[in-house]
Amino acid sequence: MKSQVLKAIERFSLLDNRNITVALSGGADSMALLGVLLELKEEYDLEIAAAHFNHRIRGAEADRDEAFVKEYCEKKGVELFLGSGDVPSYAKEQGLSLELAARELRYEFLKSVSKGNVATAHTASDNAETVIFNLTRGSGAEGLCGIPPKRDIFIRPLILATREQIEEYCKENDIPFVNDSTNFCDDYTRNKIRHNVIPVLKQINPSFEGAVLKTSSILKEDSSYLNSLADEFLEQNLKEDKLRLEDFKELSVSVAKRVIRKFIEKEDISPENIHIEEAYNIALFGGKINLPKDYHLISKKGYLFFEKEAFMKRKSVKITESENTFFENCQKVNNLFLNNAVDCDKIIGNWEIRTRLSGDSIRLKGRGCTKPLNKLFSELGVPANLRDEIPVIADEKGIVWVMGVGVAERCAVTKNSKRVYIIEV
């Protein structure tokens, strides 16, 4: 394994900064990383420290890991920085998955304690899993480039070493480590890939991780050139946090979508493919989309810009469930009331409260046709500056309800409805 680390250091110039903080979880990978860097300390004149972040997700097991790394670093004379965070609460507040929330808090902590570079224990095996994971999600070339050996202050000295090589290194050098119990179950997608997919692919090619690294390297070369064109466009067209779109249509699709991604990432948002696709469309044709962290991305008057969600914080949309006892005589029920009542059993899949998106439409009861919200708002005389502030409810099939407009025909309450949602604003 040490030879793989030396090869990575030379190939990717990983030790330009001699002050290294190791992200130390206590697992085999990070313990091996600390071990090999301590071996190289004198040769490369390194200042080595370690940092451990307790996500407070795994209870006593997480506390055990923290105690383990603390004892080991004291024994080796390595300065250790300890941090923790309430990941579940942060995930809920920011509208993020638990995994992404944990990553954001962990990386924020690592940046705060580092005096130079931060070494993370990502391996060739991790890279292969990442590429397969991104492939299953329909990722583009960026996702198939895998884990970068170096990005900003973060370096990955183990990126050419496999998990088997690392475990052998720990065994040969008597390096202890702890196991995360969540790594052994298939409840997580990455574990399914690790336990079920990778072994089959290694039967086809025992050097599968190396083959993926080679493919990722080729894609990175191509991607680097396309990114340079995107950077050039951003430099020329970014004006006071707004992206000028005058020449955007002249870009190739591959460069244009990179421009979009880079522009969104400037707000510290990690966009998914669907966000990039939607943002690309509104950049060409105008409109507005929702992004994580309560942001809107708006394309208007030749510019693309962000707006922080404010309306839904001002307006409270209250939904209560009730038995359908009021619908005994449908001729006498107030129409305004029915416009704010939804048949519970007609909701399809998950649903959400949001503002309109490009392409939203609704078929209102008794209208006999489906109309885009934009056209419907125009017919109803809704001022243009308010149309993007009107709350709507949508399920996995489309729009269910629009404030001040009514309910979709497919979800309307009838005398046969059992349970209803009553919506109040």
Side-chain angles (χ1 to χ4, degrees):
M1 187 203 78
K2 184 177 177 181
S3 63
Q4 298 299 95
V5 171
L6 291 171
K7 190 183 297 183
I9 288 171
E10 182 179 348
R11 183 185 299 180
F12 306 117
S13 302
L14 299 183
L15 296 183
D16 290 342
N17 191 309
R18 305 298 182 183
N19 196 311
I20 309 295
T21 301
V22 177
L24 193 66
S25 68
D29 296 347
S30 65
M31 293 298 289
L33 175 59
L34 178 61
V36 74
L37 288 178
L38 288 175
E39 269 196 71
L40 300 174
K41 182 177 179 180
E42 290 188 11
E43 181 181 348
Y44 285 89
D45 190 27
L46 301 177
E47 291 290 330
I48 305 293
H52 177 85
F53 188 80
N54 189 332
H55 301 97
R56 304 296 180 197
I57 296 176
R58 294 180 292 120
E61 188 175 276
D63 294 335
R64 175 210 65 183
D65 295 351
E66 181 177 319
F68 169 78
V69 298
K70 185 177 180 181
E71 182 182 350
Y72 187 82
C73 287
E74 286 176 355
K75 180 180 177 181
K76 293 292 183 179
V78 175
E79 183 180 13
L80 175 67
F81 301 99
L82 294 173
S84 66
D86 187 346
V87 172
S89 295
Y90 181 77
K92 186 176 181 180
E93 290 170 5
Q94 300 296 325
L96 302 172
S97 68
L98 206 61
E99 184 179 4
L100 185 55
R103 184 183 187 279
E104 285 197 2
L105 288 179
R106 182 172 65 254
Y107 272 67
E108 183 180 328
F109 164 69
L110 291 171
K111 287 179 181 178
S112 71
V113 299
S114 172
K115 298 176 184 177
N117 283 339
V118 175
T120 64
H122 291 94
T123 68
S125 301
D126 292 319
N127 182 72
E129 292 164 11
T130 297
V131 170
I132 293 172
F133 178 68
N134 289 339
L135 185 63
T136 61
R137 298 171 65 200
S139 175
E142 291 290 318
L144 301 184
C145 286
I147 301 171
K150 186 177 185 179
R151 176 184 286 170
D152 300 325
I153 66 169
F154 294 95
I155 59 173
R156 279 101 189 191
L158 299 183
I159 197 64
L160 300 181
T162 65
R163 189 165 289 114
E164 289 84 356
Q165 291 171 327
I166 287 164
E167 290 176 355
E168 184 62 28
Y169 176 84
C170 288
K171 183 178 179 181
E172 290 175 352
N173 293 275
D174 198 25
I175 295 176
F177 57 86
V178 292
N179 287 310
D180 181 341
S181 60
T182 61
N183 288 334
F184 298 105
C185 64
D186 285 347
D187 293 342
Y188 299 95
T189 302
R190 283 185 177 274
N191 287 356
K192 290 178 181 177
I193 293 171
R194 180 179 303 170
H195 300 152
N196 304 306
V197 179
I198 300 289
V200 174
L201 293 172
K202 291 187 76 170
Q203 288 176 13
I204 299 171
N205 180 3
S207 300
F208 173 71
E209 290 103 329
V212 174
L213 280 170
K214 183 177 180 181
T215 300
S216 295
S217 179
I218 294 170
L219 288 171
K220 281 173 189 170
E221 291 172 359
D222 294 341
S223 187
S224 178
Y225 172 69
L226 295 172
N227 280 328
S228 69
L229 297 180
D231 288 335
E232 183 180 342
F233 183 87
L234 279 170
E235 185 178 348
Q236 295 173 355
N237 293 278
L238 193 59
K239 309 292 181 183
E240 296 181 354
D241 297 326
K242 291 186 177 183
L243 182 62
R244 187 165 62 93
L245 299 173
E246 183 177 344
D247 300 318
F248 186 79
K249 292 182 180 180
E250 306 302 319
L251 296 174
S252 67
V253 175
S254 58
V255 174
K257 289 184 177 179
R258 280 172 167 79
V259 168
I260 293 292
R261 179 179 292 278
K262 288 174 178 288
F263 181 63
I264 293 175
E265 287 176 343
K266 287 177 70 66
E267 292 296 322
D268 199 26
I269 298 171
S270 299
E272 297 182 6
N273 257 2
I274 188 171
H275 300 134
I276 302 299
E277 292 293 336
E278 291 176 345
Y280 175 69
N281 286 330
I282 67 166
L284 293 177
F285 306 113
K288 172 182 176 181
I289 66 167
N290 293 335
L291 291 174
K293 299 186 178 181
D294 294 330
Y295 274 95
H296 293 315
L297 185 65
I298 301 168
S299 176
K300 191 174 181 181
K301 297 181 179 180
Y303 284 90
L304 195 66
F305 55 94
F306 296 95
E307 188 176 85
K308 188 75 171 175
E309 176 64 73
F311 175 74
M312 298 306 286
K313 288 179 170 38
R314 297 199 307 271
K315 295 288 186 182
S316 173
V317 180
K318 181 181 178 183
I319 300 172
T320 55
E321 186 176 328
S322 171
E323 293 295 323
N324 190 20
T325 56
F326 57 85
F327 211 111
E328 294 175 358
N329 187 341
C330 55
Q331 299 298 321
K332 295 182 181 180
V333 175
N334 187 300
N335 284 332
L336 181 60
F337 180 80
L338 288 183
N339 281 343
N340 294 286
V342 176
D343 189 320
C344 297
D345 300 313
K346 294 177 182 176
I347 297 291
I348 297 175
N350 297 318
W351 57 313
E352 63 176 343
I353 303 170
R354 59 170 171 80
T355 52
R356 69 170 180 166
L357 297 177
S358 177
D360 276 343
S361 61
I362 189 172
R363 182 185 182 92
L364 292 170
K365 185 177 181 180
R367 297 290 184 93
C369 64
T370 300
K371 287 192 176 183
L373 289 192
N374 189 44
K375 187 174 182 180
L376 194 58
F377 287 156
S378 180
E379 291 177 358
L380 294 172
V382 179
N385 66 316
L386 296 180
R387 294 176 188 178
D388 287 336
E389 294 193 342
I390 293 175
V392 303
I393 293 177
D395 64 8
E396 293 183 4
K397 187 172 182 179
I399 298 298
V400 169
W401 169 87
V402 182
M403 186 188 79
V405 176
V407 126
E409 183 176 59
R410 65 184 176 87
C411 296
V413 174
T414 70
K415 62 182 179 180
N416 296 319
S417 300
K418 303 292 185 187
R419 300 175 301 125
V420 299
Y421 288 124
I422 310 301
I423 305 165
E424 298 175 81
V425 180

